[in-house]
């Protein structure tokens, strides 16, 4: 292993010009060598150009801010790496494209960095971003451009483009009474991982199962294969669970003018997977299943009678609104008060 | 004029849920009523869908951070309004699309807000964003979606999409020896405005001419008509001047492998317009002309002999590299040491 000079280990972004910092980031994103097929013009000009072969572009934008979306050092001693933050930026943005039934073609990234940020941390972020795109399976996607600036706190914003390849988009508004409600990916794991990070239980004392939950919080694993699959299978509505099953479910229910009824036995099964954390911390796992976001699992509805696509599990059904009823989420026919994540309300 | 209750005047974003805050922003962006023709699907789902009729999308991303790109209160007493910040976000992003010779079709915006931010300030930001898009002439563009979150400082990131309408993009790399170097829009006005803001000369004591320079810093006026016009007129290379004429000129020169030679008489004419500030502050106006960014004027090169499109003024020429010469910017054949803006270097 080559020895890294001390000056390199302690080098901060204040010690480099913008172009020098970019010159360290670009190769890690493979921006200089390999572009995805969708990239017509990559970084280096005023804007990038991305192919949109069916005449439409799907677009979303999402920001992560230090001490809001991640802490550099958690109560349990875990240090968030640049790799984690880069991975998470990729994961949560790619998930929004997945939730439309689309495939990501390009990311552009804006980084705000305090002057004291280590250059090695930023390089690690670039590595995590590239690894997230690649390992989550967004093979047609690459980073096509970005922006760098200073601030008092680290902030990473990515905008992601995608293609529907000529198909329809799966909106939140298409669920119909009688549809099956189904889930792909996990729910509650990232919330259990957050609870472990915020506990004072030493990160090194965790079992592999507990550590796996923590890792989902730091490096979410959205099921990117599931969105396009659900679309071609005939999904009527879909969204990604970023703020919690009940909160996001209520959004889908509201857009569709219906009620989502969750099956208690299925919720119990989802909760069982959280046992390694719930037993340690003495928390009811249903709290995490119903209220936890950030796994970026997909919640979708399908016409009853069709075979669910591989990887989806039925967890409930769509029901018609009663005459005096508002759209929302129930459990076995009863209204639930479980919440989820709101960025402003305390 | 209807009386505004005190509670409304002092309401902060911490007092509203995310959905309540969005409900106040959307109507101001006319998101609920009018979309541009390019918007296939507007806000409210996991992602938006924008038309890309020629099978390509032009994309850029840019961030403004409090105390880096603007101060809420300046040394001269001026308070940056939400309207200013919204306008500037629109202007600097739309300018990147303009600099490719393209036309903007859509903006998505991510806002990071401290909990104590007044809701009225955020509403004002939405108004400024909408006004900037409309009054700068981006008629085909609307805000198609966004993201809201908390942070310790205000940060506004916009990603902007555009279309080349089937035409070529004008890159930085196409300038050829013998081309005419031309400018559309202003240069140095925003820098003169910044100097006024940073002076301790009371904002209320400024003459209308001085105030107009300050206004260009707070609400830049990029010539959005000029980019597509330059493209169809045959521009060989183009970029927007966001970091200064010399610094951005060197980027164009570097990408094209050439030297840009600026004409002193034209620089003098550009400097004359800055007289109201340079006389007051005792600053050589050429400092601002050569080093000032943020006006977002367009620097373009055209084959010699063609008539420059309306609104462009010749300010120099493109010259071949000498055998031992590096690409860069000269004034009347002499190398200039004038700098420009670097986000990290002090």
């Amino acid at each position: 292993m080559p020895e890294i000079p001390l000056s390199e280990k302690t080098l901060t972004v204040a010690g480099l010009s913008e172009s020098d910092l970019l010159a360290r980031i670009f190769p890690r994103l493979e921006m200089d060598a390999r572009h995805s097929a969708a990239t017509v013009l990559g970084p280096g000009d005023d804007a990038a150009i991305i192919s949109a072969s069916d005449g439409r572009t799907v677009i979303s934008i999402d920001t992560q801010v230090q001490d809001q979306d991640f802490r550099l050092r958690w109560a349990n001693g875990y240090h968030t790496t640049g790799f984690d933050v880069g991975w998470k930026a990729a994961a949560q943005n790619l998930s929004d494209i997945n939730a439309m039934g689309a495939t990501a073609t390009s990311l552009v990234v804006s980084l705000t960095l305090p002057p004291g940020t280590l250059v090695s941390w930023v390089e690690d972020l670039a590595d995590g971003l590239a690894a997230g795109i690649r390992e989550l399976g967004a093979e047609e996607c690459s980073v096509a451009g970005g922006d760098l600036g200073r601030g008092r706190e680290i902030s990473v914003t990515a905008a992601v483009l995608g293609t529907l390849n000529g198909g329809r988009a799966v909106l939140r508004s298409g669920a119909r009474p009688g549809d099956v409600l189904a889930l792909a990916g996990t729910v509650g794991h990232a919330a259990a991982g957050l609870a472990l990070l915020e506990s004072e239980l030493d990160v090194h004392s965790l079992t592999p199962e507990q550590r796996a939950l923590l890792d989902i919080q730091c490096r979410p694993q959205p099921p990117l294969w599931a969105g396009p699959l659900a679309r071609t299978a005939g999904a009527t509505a879909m969204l990604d669970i970023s703020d919690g099953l009940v909160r996001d479910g209520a959004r889908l229910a509201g857009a569709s003018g219906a009620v989502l009824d969750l099956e208690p036995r299925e919720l119990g099964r989802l909760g069982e997977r959280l046992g390694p954390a719930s037993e340690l911390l003495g928390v009811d796992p249903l709290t995490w299943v119903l209220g936890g976001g950030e796994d970026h699992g997909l919640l979708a509805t399908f016409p009853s009678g069709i075979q669910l696509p591989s990887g989806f599990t039925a967890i409930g059904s769509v029901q018609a609104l009663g005459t005096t009823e508002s759209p929302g989420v129930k459990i076995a026919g009863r209204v639930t008060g479980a919440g989820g994540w709101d960025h402003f309300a305390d």
Side-chain angles (χ1 to χ4, degrees), chain A residues 37-338:
Chain A
T39 306
V40 179
L41 178 72
D45 220 295
D46 294 87
I49 306 177
I50 311 301
S51 172
S53 56
D54 74 357
R56 298 169 300 170
T57 297
V58 184
I59 180 158
S60 183
I61 190 167
D62 211 11
T63 297
Q64 281 182 84
V65 179
Q66 174 186 340
D67 297 332
Q68 299 295 326
D69 300 284
F70 61 90
R71 295 191 187 284
L72 288 176
R73 189 175 189 284
W74 295 87
N76 75 342
Y78 183 81
H79 289 257
T80 298
T81 62
F83 194 96
D84 291 341
V85 174
W87 179 290
K88 199 166 178 175
Q92 64 188 20
N93 278 278
L94 294 171
S95 179
D96 283 327
I97 297 300
N98 191 37
M100 303 299 282
T103 304
T105 51
S106 183
L107 277 176
V108 292
V109 182
S110 186
L111 286 183
T112 299
L113 301 168
T117 309
L118 287 173
V119 170
S120 60
W121 196 92
V122 182
E123 291 174 333
D124 202 27
L125 184 147
D127 287 341
L129 193 60
I133 294 169
R134 191 175 56 241
E135 294 177 29
L136 292 170
E139 289 168 13
E140 296 176 42
C141 183
S142 66
V143 180
D147 182 38
L148 275 177
R150 271 195 197 203
R152 275 198 297 267
E153 57 194 355
I154 297 173
S155 177
V156 184
T157 301
V160 56
L161 301 186
T163 177
L164 288 158
N165 288 311
R168 72 193 169 93
V170 186
L171 308 185
R172 299 177 174 187
S173 53
R176 295 292 167 260
D179 282 355
V180 174
L181 182 69
L183 174 73
T186 62
V187 67
H189 293 217
L194 180 63
L196 289 168
L197 286 164
E198 289 183 336
S199 77
E200 302 204 346
L201 299 164
D202 185 350
V203 61
H204 298 104
S205 71
L206 300 180
T207 65
E209 293 74 21
Q210 290 158 352
R211 178 60 195 240
L213 294 169
L214 184 154
D215 286 344
I216 292 292
Q217 167 61 225
C218 296
R219 301 182 193 177
Q221 301 278 342
L224 296 189
W225 43 269
L229 192 62
R231 168 169 64 83
T232 53
T236 52
M238 188 155 65
L239 88 177
D240 86 317
I241 302 170
S242 53
D243 294 337
L245 180 54
V246 168
R247 184 175 290 260
D248 286 312
R251 289 173 177 149
L252 191 152
S256 296
V259 166
L260 304 186
D261 194 26
L262 301 172
E263 173 59 54
R265 188 166 41 184
E266 295 302 329
L267 296 177
R269 282 187 186 148
L270 293 169
E272 279 168 23
R273 303 197 214 165
L274 305 174
S278 68
E279 287 154 22
L280 184 70
L281 300 174
V283 173
D284 180 350
L286 274 187
T287 313
W288 294 328
V289 169
L290 294 172
E294 297 191 289
D295 291 45
H296 300 288
L298 279 189
L299 188 67
T301 58
F302 295 90
S304 67
I306 73 161
Q307 190 178 353
L308 291 182
S310 173
F312 278 90
T313 306
I315 61 166
S317 61
V318 182
Q319 298 184 352
L321 275 186
T323 44
T324 59
E325 202 174 18
S326 296
V329 176
K330 292 181 174 182
I331 300 175
R334 300 179 67 166
V335 174
T336 169

